[in-house]
Amino acid sequence: MPKILLAQAKPRLLDKQSNLETMEQFIKSAYKQEADLVLFPELFLTGYFTREYTREMAEDLNGPSIQQIRNMAKRYRIKVVFGFPEKKENRLYNSACFIDEKGEILGTYQKVHLWDEEPKYFEAGSSFPVWDTNIGKIGIMICYDTEFPESARTLAVNGAEIILAPTANMAPFQHVQQLYIQTRAAENQIFVATTNQIGVEESTLFFGESAAADPNGQLLVKAGDQEQELLVDMELNLVKESRKFPFYLKDRRPQHYSISKEMESIEIN
């Protein structure tokens, strides 16, 4: 049974060293609680509003901060998923890095649905990878991705049993975050968990309320608006159990989910 620790915290903007120290505190705590994986918020390595410093703060997978986190994962024998600005082939992405308990990088996910001003600083990703690990098949979506049913559905169709969502979600969207997590879990009959940032950056309030839901859409845990860690047990047999009846993925009829040529040319305002 996978045990995942949701590490809800406030990063210091543009202060990687401080954020790495915070990450190690949570990773050490997760190790003591015998967790299998720690999930940090979106862009936690740098803070969210990197703006004109984004390129300067970005790292590729050989970057010094990434190496430090790899060392932490190996030292404490725990998987880590965290958000960071990724430099890849001279392009910048709002990414999540997935490191295993041996300190090996399993891969990165580049955010597909960019929010508000993010396209000024990042390019959009183009795929939803699923990693087959020793604690289950895991996919990642980042924050705004959660609000698009296609994100989670793509991961589920590709075999994901668990979706992890690093998030930097701000007021006044408290009322929909929990709704989306439970809905994405129920409609795909998988586990979904999000870790959200807290605190104020610039004038924006990040409200926390990190949460996880099971394959029936039942809420498993929910945080408040302060620094907090939540340990979530995920019984993967529930994925198969929930799909005995109904089985939404099997009953899909994708051949009928098409957009007419007339609608393709219409701009949606």
Side-chain angles (χ1 to χ4, degrees):
M1 180 188 302
K3 298 174 79 172
I4 294 177
L5 187 132
L6 310 183
Q8 177 171 290
K10 180 186 186 330
R12 280 194 174 185
L13 187 60
L14 306 179
D15 189 343
K16 291 183 184 178
Q17 190 53 46
S18 174
N19 297 333
L20 287 166
E21 291 170 4
T22 298
M23 291 178 73
E24 183 161 20
Q25 291 173 7
F26 279 102
I27 290 170
K28 186 183 296 185
S29 176
Y31 166 74
K32 291 178 179 178
Q33 296 179 72
E34 300 183 342
D36 298 291
L37 184 149
V38 185
L39 175 63
F40 290 95
E42 177 181 14
L43 292 173
F44 191 78
L45 180 61
T46 57
Y48 182 76
F49 287 116
T50 52
R51 299 196 187 278
E52 67 270 19
Y53 298 102
T54 301
R55 182 166 293 275
E56 176 186 340
M57 300 299 291
E59 296 187 21
D60 63 24
L61 295 183
N62 294 312
S65 301
I66 309 303
Q67 296 306 308
Q68 285 192 55
I69 299 167
R70 291 181 65 183
N71 291 337
M72 293 178 203
K74 184 177 181 180
R75 183 183 313 132
Y76 296 104
R77 300 188 297 279
I78 196 164
K79 297 176 175 64
V80 181
V81 174
F82 64 96
F84 77 114
E86 181 182 14
K87 186 184 299 179
K88 187 175 183 180
E89 298 173 353
N90 207 37
R91 297 179 177 181
L92 301 180
Y93 296 95
N94 180 339
S95 293
C97 186
F98 193 173
I99 298 174
D100 72 11
E101 68 276 13
K102 298 176 183 177
E104 298 297 323
I105 297 174
L106 298 182
T108 58
Y109 163 69
Q110 291 88 31
K111 188 176 184 179
V112 170
H113 300 97
L114 297 180
W115 163 261
D116 194 34
E117 294 187 349
E118 289 178 1
K120 290 183 179 180
Y121 310 103
F122 299 109
E123 295 195 37
S126 58
S127 64
F128 290 94
V130 175
W131 290 274
D132 192 354
T133 78
N134 57 5
I135 61 169
K137 296 178 181 179
I138 298 175
I140 298 172
M141 55 187 182
I142 297 176
C143 199
Y144 194 38
D145 287 326
T146 307
E147 302 182 32
F148 294 83
E150 298 88 349
S151 306
R153 178 53 53 88
T154 300
L155 289 167
V157 169
N158 287 331
E161 300 166 293
I162 300 169
I163 296 178
L164 304 176
T167 299
N169 205 354
M170 63 280 289
F173 301 110
Q174 290 94 325
H175 66 293
V176 293
Q177 178 170 283
Q178 179 182 327
L179 174 65
Y180 286 135
I181 294 304
Q182 291 184 260
T183 302
R184 298 293 91 89
E187 68 193 4
N188 294 292
Q189 298 165 306
I190 55 178
F191 288 91
V192 179
T194 187
T195 302
N196 191 24
Q197 183 176 326
I198 59 168
V200 176
E201 275 189 17
E202 298 183 348
S203 59
T204 298
L205 171 64
F206 296 93
F207 59 80
E209 299 186 15
S210 302
D214 73 11
N216 295 309
Q218 296 294 321
L219 192 67
L220 296 173
V221 294
K222 182 180 177 182
D225 61 0
Q226 300 299 309
E227 182 170 303
Q228 190 173 351
E229 58 183 43
L230 299 172
L231 193 62
V232 187
D233 291 321
M234 296 184 175
E235 178 51 70
L236 294 186
N237 284 337
L238 278 178
V239 175
K240 292 180 180 179
E241 286 296 317
S242 69
R243 291 176 175 177
K244 286 182 177 178
F245 184 79
F247 187 1
Y248 298 129
L249 300 189
K250 180 178 70 67
D251 293 339
R252 292 182 314 123
R253 304 190 69 195
Q255 68 272 27
H256 300 298
Y257 306 154
S258 60
I259 300 172
S260 68
K261 291 182 179 179
E262 291 81 4
M263 290 301 296
E264 285 181 344
S265 63
I266 294 176
E267 183 175 344
I268 300 175
N269 295 316

